[in-house]
Amino acid sequence: EPQVALMQPISVERIEEGRARELAPELWTPGDELESEEESSTARYRLAPFEEASSDGQYTRFICRFHATSIGADVDDEPRSTVIGETLSTYPINYELANYRKAMPSYGSMLSPKGKDNAQFWLSNFRFDCPVPDVAGLAE
């Protein structure tokens, strides 16, 4: 049941592009395809132990990117999407704790060694929030 893995948060550390290249020089980097220097300044992340994670990356699962679409002056210009902000997702509840409180017999976690875990999350709603980044004019 791979879907249940989305309900388990991970810890990430926000790192600079230079450190990302140092840790994994062969990996893809956004600067390889982007045209302007401003666009290549997007944050990079690494999976990290809870203690080393960024304060907003201790219980997260998704990168939330906020885009703006700009349309050129010429009719033939293609619309262009630009990232104007980025945050890390947050969970409104701890899904592991909610699962524990269901008091299902013989289950200690959301994933069991037996495999068929449907009863653990079958009727559970999956919710997460994407905080609005602190960018001028975006929250209005």
Side-chain angles (χ1 to χ4, degrees), residues 34-91:
L34 300 174
E35 298 169 6
S36 73
E37 191 63 35
E38 179 183 314
E39 289 180 282
S40 66
S41 65
T42 58
R44 299 299 300 261
Y45 302 91
R46 76 171 184 93
L47 291 174
F50 182 82
E51 298 78 21
E52 296 176 19
S54 302
S55 61
D56 61 341
Q58 291 178 333
Y59 295 101
T60 190
R61 190 64 193 193
F62 306 103
I63 299 172
C64 305
R65 289 196 175 107
F66 293 79
H67 296 259
T69 303
S70 59
I71 301 172
D74 192 3
V75 175
D76 295 330
D77 289 345
E78 291 289 321
R80 184 169 177 205
S81 180
T82 306
V83 176
I84 57 174
E86 182 175 289
T87 60
L88 294 172
S89 65
T90 60
Y91 289 104

Side-chain angles (χ1 to χ4, degrees), residues 4 14 51 68 76 114 124:
V4 76
R14 193 175 278 110
E51 298 78 21
D76 295 330
K114 298 175 186 175
S124 298

Side-chain angles (χ1 to χ4, degrees), residues 64-137:
C64 305
R65 289 196 175 107
F66 293 79
H67 296 259
T69 303
S70 59
I71 301 172
D74 192 3
V75 175
D76 295 330
D77 289 345
E78 291 289 321
R80 184 169 177 205
S81 180
T82 306
V83 176
I84 57 174
E86 182 175 289
T87 60
L88 294 172
S89 65
T90 60
Y91 289 104
I93 62 170
N94 182 331
Y95 285 102
E96 298 257 25
L97 178 62
N99 180 67
Y100 175 76
R101 292 222 168 145
K102 286 182 180 181
M104 299 292 283
S106 74
Y107 291 120
S109 71
M110 291 177 75
L111 297 172
S112 72
K114 298 175 186 175
K116 299 292 182 184
D117 305 302
N118 288 11
Q120 297 298 89
F121 60 90
W122 183 252
L123 296 176
S124 298
N125 287 322
F126 180 57
R127 297 178 183 190
F128 67 92
D129 299 320
C130 282
V132 176
D134 190 19
V135 176

